[in-house]
Amino acid sequence: MILTGTGTSHGIPVIGCNCAVCTSKDPKDNRLRCSAWIFDPVSILIDVGPEFRIQALKYKITKPQAVFITHSHADHLHGIDDLRIFSHSTPPTSPVYNKEHEAHIKGLRVYANDRCAKDIAKRFDYIFTPTKEGGGKPKIEIISTKEHEAEFPLSLKNIQVTPVPLMHGSLEDMGLLFTETKKDGTKKSIAYLTDCSFISDKSINLIKERCGVLEHLVIDGLKPTPHSTHFSYEQALEAADRLNAKNTYLTHMAHNLSHKQLSEYIDAVIPKFKNLKRNIEEGGSASPAYDGLILEI
C-alpha cells in the first residue's frame, strides 16, 4: 500500500495560509487529500478526492480492480469522474473497441456503505443517467457493502477486504482491513481507519478477529485538541494502543504541527500507551504518515 495523500480536507499547504507548516520546505509537510492505493498483488483504490488525477499521475496508478469509498465527503469522493479512464475494457480510441460489447459491461466496481452509495447516486446522477453521444463519464457499478454483507470479506486475488464500521461525528464511515494470507498460511494485515471520532468495541474486535498479525495501522489524527468529527493525536494513539499494531501512522492531519514536530509530540506521549511503547521497543513504530509512504506486509 502507498499512501497517496495524508492531509485533511484543506490539504497542506492550505490556500492563503502563511503559517510555518504551510510554508515549510520539508516535502513531508506537503499533503494531498487523504487516500491510498494498494498496487500489489491487486490494484485497489481507497478514496478518490479532488486531487485524484494528480495522485494517479504522481504515483503512476494503474487500472484498479476495485475502488472503496470510505464516506461521501468531498475530499474523499469528488475526483470520481476521473475514474472514467479506468472504467472501460478498452478505450474508444483503441482499434479493438467494440461499442456493443462495451454496453454489456457493468463497469468498475465501487464499494461504499449504504449512505455513501446513495450520496454518490444522487450527487453524481449524470453518471447513471443515459445520455446522448459524447460527454464522457465513468462507467462504474456502485455496490453497497451493507447490501452485500454476506460477501465480505471480499477476496481479490489473495487479499481479503473487510469493511469496518466507524463513526465520523454522526456520520457512519467505513474503515477497511486488508488481509493477505501468506504461503505458510499466516495472515498479515493493514487497517486503514481514516476520518473517525469513534470506533466501537465491535469494530475493534472485528479487526482483531480477522487480522492475524496487524502489521500496520493507518488512523485518523487531525490535531492536538479534540474535534467533534475526528480523533485528536492522543485519541488516535489510544485507539491504536487497543488495536496493538506493530506500526501505527497518523493520517488526515491538519497544519497545526509539522511532520518533525508531530514526530516529537508522539515520542513524548508514547510512554502513556503500554502496547505502543512495547511495540516500539521491539522494533515497531508510531509516527505521522506522509504522502508516498509505502507499507508492506
Side-chain angles (χ1 to χ4, degrees), residues 35-278:
S35 57
W37 176 42
I38 293 178
F39 54 89
D40 184 49
V42 63
S43 180
I44 302 173
L45 293 173
I46 304 101
D47 288 337
V48 285
E51 291 154 337
F52 172 65
R53 179 180 176 276
I54 295 169
Q55 293 162 324
L57 292 170
K58 181 176 182 178
Y59 296 106
K60 297 178 171 58
I61 291 175
T62 52
K63 186 172 182 178
Q65 278 73 59
V67 180
F68 287 83
I69 305 296
T70 59
H71 63 296
S72 58
H73 285 167
D75 55 320
H76 295 260
L77 174 61
H78 280 203
I80 195 169
D81 193 77
D82 284 321
L83 289 176
R84 59 181 170 168
I85 200 70
F86 298 128
S87 59
H88 296 270
S89 60
T90 53
T93 54
S94 168
V96 298
Y97 178 74
N98 184 302
K99 186 175 181 180
E100 287 70 31
H101 172 68
E102 197 71 33
H104 295 289
I105 297 173
K106 290 184 177 180
L108 178 62
R109 291 169 293 169
V110 177
Y111 293 91
N113 67 24
D114 195 49
R115 165 69 181 275
C116 183
K118 291 175 181 176
D119 283 348
I120 294 171
K122 181 179 179 181
R123 201 176 302 166
F124 300 94
D125 63 324
Y126 71 90
I127 293 176
F128 311 100
T129 303
T131 56
K132 295 180 180 180
E133 199 80 17
K137 57 185 181 180
K139 191 166 191 176
I140 59 179
E141 179 186 10
I142 304 297
I143 301 173
S144 169
T145 54
K146 183 176 181 180
E147 294 177 5
H148 295 77
E149 284 180 351
E151 298 177 11
F152 290 97
L154 175 70
S155 292
L156 296 166
K157 291 194 176 180
N158 64 328
I159 300 292
Q160 289 77 50
V161 186
T162 302
V164 179
L166 308 171
M167 292 304 298
H168 180 24
S170 60
L171 178 68
E172 291 184 6
D173 197 354
M174 181 174 69
L176 295 159
L177 179 69
F178 299 96
T179 305
E180 182 175 0
T181 302
K182 300 295 185 178
K183 291 181 179 179
D184 62 2
T186 59
K187 292 183 177 182
K188 293 189 176 183
S189 297
I190 298 174
Y192 187 84
L193 312 178
T194 189
D195 286 57
C196 56
S197 55
F198 176 75
I199 307 174
S200 69
D201 290 342
K202 184 177 180 180
S203 290
I204 294 280
N205 291 334
L206 175 64
I207 293 171
K208 288 184 174 181
E209 288 166 5
R210 295 193 178 181
C211 70
V213 177
L214 189 56
E215 289 283 346
H216 303 288
L217 168 65
V218 182
I219 188 166
D220 178 13
L222 182 69
K223 58 182 184 177
T225 54
H227 188 275
S228 61
T229 62
H230 294 272
F231 280 148
S232 67
Y233 303 148
E234 288 203 41
Q235 287 170 333
L237 293 172
E238 182 180 1
D241 197 58
R242 294 180 65 195
L243 286 164
N244 196 23
K246 285 188 175 182
N247 302 285
T248 295
Y249 304 93
L250 302 191
T251 194
H252 210 287
M253 289 161 284
H255 59 152
N256 300 82
L257 297 180
S258 68
H259 179 89
K260 181 176 183 294
Q261 289 170 327
L262 182 49
S263 296
E264 293 169 349
Y265 178 103
I266 292 171
D267 290 345
V269 299
I270 279 298
K272 297 181 180 181
F273 306 103
K274 180 180 68 175
N275 290 328
L276 295 181
K277 183 174 182 292
R278 184 189 66 248

